[in-house]
Amino acid sequence: MSALTVQAGEAGRIRVFALSMTEAEAKALAANPSPEGGPSYQEEMLGATKLDHAYVEVVSLKSLEGVGLVDYLIEGHGAEPADVAQDKAKLGALGGSVMVVMSPAFQRQAMQLSPDPRLTLIGIYAQEGVDWAPAPVSASSAAPYSAEARPKKPMSDARISGMVATAVLAFLALFVVIFVWIGG
């Protein structure tokens, strides 16, 4: 297989590889043993460096019985249905195991992948993006100045008396302080 390019900052892509290997080899690839100081088995198979293995999945198609690979990619990984529909026959005809590699596996780094001959790229599918646009608000209560205007309550007689008493006491305190200062 020719080299595959991963662009720097890539996001929202899912690569699906068919595996031409025994079930035991696929299980070893899923376990992803890594020799000390060397690349992991998944990195060796993809010809990549420094993968985030949380975003690399080896899936036995037997385990997807009743769901199918197409629905697994759409429902499980958020692949765009229109993208996957183009390869529906190809994906449905696969047997054995597949390797699913999502963009975050490459940690936003540019890479040249040179996959092992036992990996066959089936397709690269876009993931559905999140629509962050706010929903339009049509409730009449959301319109500006739509709140009911409430008239301000008039002050009670007790409150007015308290304010007058506080002002008189403040004046008397100031008056006493001035006399003490002048007399002192």
Side-chain angles (χ1 to χ4, degrees), residues 89-113:
K90 196 179 350 178
L91 291 166
L94 293 175
S97 296
V98 295
M99 178 186 268
V100 179
V101 184
M102 292 157 279
S103 291
F106 305 111
Q107 302 180 51
R108 305 187 68 78
Q109 302 295 315
M111 288 188 199
Q112 279 296 117
L113 305 179

Side-chain angles (χ1 to χ4, degrees), residues 1-176:
M1 176 184 286
S2 62
L4 299 170
T5 302
V6 176
Q7 300 295 325
E10 178 185 279
R13 299 275 178 250
I14 303 169
R15 288 172 175 75
V16 178
F17 296 90
L19 304 180
S20 300
M21 55 180 59
T22 65
E23 192 173 323
E25 289 173 317
K27 284 182 181 179
L29 183 59
N32 193 34
S34 176
E36 282 189 37
S40 70
Y41 191 29
Q42 291 175 354
E43 290 168 343
E44 280 181 23
M45 291 300 287
L46 284 169
T49 55
K50 297 182 182 177
L51 288 177
D52 184 345
H53 299 288
Y55 297 97
V56 179
E57 206 175 5
V58 177
V59 180
S60 169
L61 295 177
K62 288 179 188 175
S63 68
L64 297 180
E65 214 169 281
V67 175
L69 183 56
V70 171
D71 287 337
Y72 177 71
L73 291 172
I74 293 170
E75 299 297 324
H77 289 290
E80 286 282 350
D83 258 9
V84 178
Q86 295 174 0
D87 291 339
K88 188 174 183 174
K90 196 179 350 178
L91 291 166
L94 293 175
S97 296
V98 295
M99 178 186 268
V100 179
V101 184
M102 292 157 279
S103 291
F106 305 111
Q107 302 180 51
R108 305 187 68 78
Q109 302 295 315
M111 288 188 199
Q112 279 296 117
L113 305 179
S114 49
D116 186 278
R118 295 176 284 176
L119 269 62
T120 305
L121 179 66
I122 301 302
I124 302 173
Y125 308 105
Q127 287 180 301
E128 293 178 328
V130 176
D131 182 10
W132 292 104
V137 179
S138 59
S140 61
S141 62
Y145 308 108
S146 63
E148 191 177 300
R150 295 183 185 157
K152 198 171 184 181
K153 282 185 180 179
M155 282 193 230
S156 68
D157 290 338
R159 182 172 178 194
I160 293 172
S161 299
M163 291 171 62
V164 168
T166 302
V168 168
L169 286 175
F171 175 74
L172 289 176
L174 181 62
F175 189 70
V176 168

